Amino acid sequence: METHAWYVDLVVTVAVAQGWNLTAEEQTDLAKLVADYSQQSAAHNPTKLNEITINLWHDYPTVQRALDPQHPQHAEAHHQLYQQINHCLKQIHVFGVDALYLDERSPDVCAYADLTQKLSQFRFEARLSTYIYQVTWRAVLQWRRSTNALKRGGAGFKRQQAFAAAQQVYYLSQAQQNQDFLLEDMLVAPDPAVDDLVAVRQLKREISHVVVSMHDDPLYAVAQRLWHELLFEQTNISALAETEGLAAGALFNLRARIGRRCRDVVERWCIGLDG
């Protein structure tokens, strides 16, 4: 196991390469952080440790201000996070191209809720700005899917749509090679075939088992009551959230979490349909 002195040497090496002029106290403090976060992320590759060191030096103070409600710059830090989300949205051309469709389900609201909820889990394996971009992009994907579903007005259940969704939708706040799936709203057509009804009923049965197992979710009780509406019905989530006494973003995020938990179930189901 690497010693404290080893981490101090690592920090000194990175500081020289980056042109930082650190005091002995700053070197010691940064070395402690690198040791802590490298163990949490199980990072032992020298290149990865160098990246964590750089990311901690640049972004750790901002993250701590945002996480500490007692910090005098706490509100300012959250404002900065929200501004970075808006900057990302402009980069993605959301406000310029899709402004007509923005509402209370806006991706800036959902991204901000997602970011503030998960910030304590950030492990500094990337720059904070990169992480914020990934969270924002995921929120944009969710929002566009929801907007398209509402504009379709319920086009009926389509096997190919379900299979394509499982292949194409990614959760970029995870490592990009880990492709997490958000279940698309699937509405059974007015006159569905018997095999379609059986297939959907089986999927719902398996999803219900997954949702029951989500004991660690902060909105577990809500998930038990509303998972079917969130995943399978063309519901007004904002109105539903108001009824539940929740922020709309919280309910959208719950739907996303259920989708991630059900990813394997849905992918197996889609493969079965395609087979």
Side-chain angles (χ1 to χ4, degrees), residues 42-74:
H44 300 290
N45 182 290
T47 301
K48 194 66 177 178
L49 288 174
N50 288 356
E51 293 176 358
I52 290 177
T53 303
I54 294 171
N55 299 336
L56 280 166
W57 173 251
H58 286 292
D59 296 326
Y60 183 78
T62 300
V63 172
Q64 290 306 110
R65 288 194 293 269
L67 291 176
D68 183 6
Q70 304 304 318
H71 196 284
Q73 296 178 315
H74 176 71

Side-chain angles (χ1 to χ4, degrees), residues 86-266:
N86 282 331
H87 177 69
C88 292
L89 290 172
K90 291 177 182 178
Q91 288 183 310
I92 303 170
H93 304 295
V94 169
F95 288 138
V97 176
D98 301 314
L100 178 64
Y101 302 109
L102 289 177
D103 53 23
E104 67 272 14
R105 299 175 292 112
S106 174
D108 61 323
V109 175
C110 295
Y112 179 73
D114 201 19
L115 178 62
T116 53
Q117 182 182 37
K118 297 179 180 177
L119 192 59
S120 61
Q121 304 170 24
F122 183 53
R123 293 293 172 253
F124 297 92
E125 295 181 357
R127 287 297 307 272
L128 179 61
S129 58
T130 300
Y131 181 68
I132 292 174
Y133 184 89
Q134 293 170 345
V135 171
T136 304
W137 178 239
R138 184 190 65 185
V140 169
L141 289 178
Q142 293 175 336
W143 167 68
R144 283 179 172 162
R145 290 168 62 79
S146 299
T147 301
N148 289 337
L150 290 174
K151 287 190 291 185
R152 282 199 303 269
F157 167 67
K158 296 186 182 300
R159 297 181 175 186
Q160 292 302 319
Q161 285 182 353
F163 185 76
Q167 300 301 315
Q168 295 174 7
V169 177
Y170 309 105
Y171 275 81
L172 298 181
S173 63
Q174 312 286 331
Q176 291 192 17
Q177 60 267 32
N178 296 332
Q179 301 170 0
D180 283 337
F181 171 62
L182 171 64
L183 182 61
E184 184 176 8
D185 294 341
M186 289 184 292
L187 308 173
V188 179
D191 297 308
V194 173
D195 59 340
D196 282 348
L197 286 174
V198 172
V200 173
R201 187 176 296 118
Q202 178 61 29
L203 173 64
K204 291 179 180 180
R205 185 181 300 115
E206 294 188 30
I207 288 178
S208 70
H209 294 324
V210 174
V211 176
V212 167
S213 70
M214 293 175 58
H215 301 288
D216 57 337
D217 194 277
L219 294 179
Y220 176 76
V222 178
Q224 304 309 299
R225 295 196 306 272
L226 301 181
W227 68 266
H228 189 278
E229 290 181 74
L230 293 175
L231 297 183
F232 289 93
E233 297 181 15
Q234 192 180 351
T235 186
N236 185 324
I237 291 185
S238 298
L240 189 60
E242 184 175 353
T243 301
E244 293 289 325
L246 298 170
L251 209 51
F252 272 96
N253 289 334
L254 175 61
R255 184 173 70 167
R257 293 196 297 274
I258 296 173
R260 288 197 291 271
R261 292 292 187 97
C262 297
R263 173 178 180 266
D264 291 340
V265 168
V266 176

